Amino acid sequence: MAGRQEGSGAAQLRRSVRRADLRAVPEVRRALRALLGHWGEPGSADVAELLTSELVTNALVHTEEGAVVTATVAPARLRVEVRDFTTGLVEPPAEPVPDESTHGRGLLLVQSLADAWGVRAHGLGKAVWFELHGGRA
């Protein structure tokens, strides 16, 4: 499922990604980049792409099902939500282990770069979200 909706000053992107399909990560990034256009201050769209990649990758690697990505952009705010369909909540990130591991840093990036972020439980699954306040382009 893919789509882009506009109305009331906000545009929205909605994509379904299949279980374990890591090829979907760059596809979602491209779609987000197209949605954002010249949104926000310089660098805002780059941060949005990075954080979205982290959340989508986590959903595909750490769950048994696919996920739904929703990005809603308004002139001064972006909200991205990645909903999966596997029970269990995300634990808040701890300090990274000082080794060369490439795992376990995604949510730390989200925590440090997003203006707000969180996890919402659903009847089946959860949604991990973040917001950026990018200002006007």
Side-chain angles (χ1 to χ4, degrees), residues 29-67:
R29 283 179 74 123
R30 280 190 297 276
L32 181 65
R33 188 178 316 122
L35 175 71
L36 294 177
H38 298 288
W39 174 82
E41 298 295 323
S44 295
D46 294 334
V47 171
E49 285 184 48
L50 172 65
L51 300 185
T52 300
S53 294
E54 292 297 335
L55 294 188
V56 172
T57 301
N58 282 351
L60 295 176
V61 170
H62 298 294
T63 67
E64 298 298 319
E65 302 292 331

Side-chain angles (χ1 to χ4, degrees), residues 74-121:
R77 184 183 81 144
L78 168 69
R79 180 181 175 96
V80 174
E81 181 174 292
V82 178
R83 180 173 182 201
D84 66 51
F85 302 94
T86 302
T87 58
L89 289 178
V90 173
E91 294 294 321
E95 291 301 315
V97 178
D99 65 5
E100 299 302 315
S101 174
T102 60
H103 297 288
R105 289 172 171 53
L107 287 179
L108 282 169
L109 282 172
V110 174
Q111 182 180 44
S112 64
L113 296 175
D115 291 310
W117 82 282
V119 181
R120 246 181 337 121

